[in-house]
Amino acid sequence: MFAAITILNIALMLVMRIHVDYTNLVNAEVKKAFRFAFSLITIETLFDFMAVTAERIDYLPISLHIAIVFFELLLAPALISMWLFLSPSKKLKRLIWCVLIANALLQLYNLFSGCVFYVDAQNQYFRGEYYCLYVLLYSIGAILMLLEA
């Protein structure tokens, strides 16, 4: 079922991207922002699928599983960066960059500490003690998008 939802999501993002490419209702900057967003959602969906699937593959190296989850958590909040293309507000752009950089630093620190997530010797994913910081950064990004929209 999860595979079917993943395929459906990717197909919808491709259709939306094609639709944006051929519409005349929005200007080039808006097209660029939506192309970026739909591409990012597609990539994030693939990483999510790989992360879920990685737990079921016994022979997958743990380091690869960690890398997959790292990129999934690194990219998910990046959807707010589409507003870098759209917003004229320099203050909002600075806030977005702060959220993106804070998340990147948190994920890099996690590689050495396991504070956000870790993968044990049996290749099982677990949330770390400070996973809530990741959720907070993600939530701040979502709130910024809502306030701007």
Side-chain angles (χ1 to χ4, degrees):
M1 181 68 166
F2 186 66
I5 292 170
T6 300
I7 292 168
L8 179 63
N9 189 18
I10 291 170
L12 288 172
M13 289 303 108
L14 292 174
V15 167
M16 294 295 288
R17 187 176 162 118
I18 291 167
H19 179 70
V20 165
D21 286 342
Y22 290 103
T23 187
N24 294 326
L25 299 175
V26 293
N27 65 33
E29 281 298 305
V30 174
K31 282 184 177 185
K32 186 185 339 179
F34 278 106
R35 280 187 204 114
F36 176 79
F38 296 145
S39 297
L40 188 61
I41 291 168
T42 301
I43 292 166
E44 179 60 30
T45 300
L46 288 171
F47 273 114
D48 185 45
F49 180 76
M50 289 187 298
V52 170
T53 305
E55 284 197 5
R56 300 179 187 144
I57 302 173
D58 295 332
Y59 55 86
L60 185 77
I62 293 172
S63 58
L64 181 57
H65 190 172
I66 290 170
I68 290 168
V69 176
F70 169 80
F71 283 111
E72 177 190 5
L73 298 182
L74 181 68
L75 291 175
L79 185 58
I80 64 169
S81 59
M82 75 179 279
W83 291 114
L84 293 172
F85 297 106
L86 298 174
S87 177
S89 168
K90 289 184 180 184
K91 182 179 178 183
L92 178 68
K93 289 180 180 184
R94 275 191 231 114
L95 287 171
I96 289 171
W97 277 114
C98 287
V99 169
L100 295 174
I101 291 169
N103 183 57
L105 291 173
L106 179 65
Q107 298 310 323
L108 287 171
Y109 178 69
N110 177 74
L111 291 176
F112 303 102
S113 68
C115 66
V116 177
F117 75 90
Y118 61 94
V119 177
D120 69 6
Q122 286 75 40
N123 213 12
Q124 296 297 304
Y125 162 86
F126 294 95
R127 291 179 180 165
E129 185 176 347
Y130 294 108
Y131 184 80
C132 58
L133 291 178
Y134 165 73
V135 172
L136 177 67
L137 289 170
Y138 200 114
S139 299
I140 290 170
I143 290 167
L144 289 174
M145 282 183 68
L146 287 173
L147 292 176
E148 183 66 17

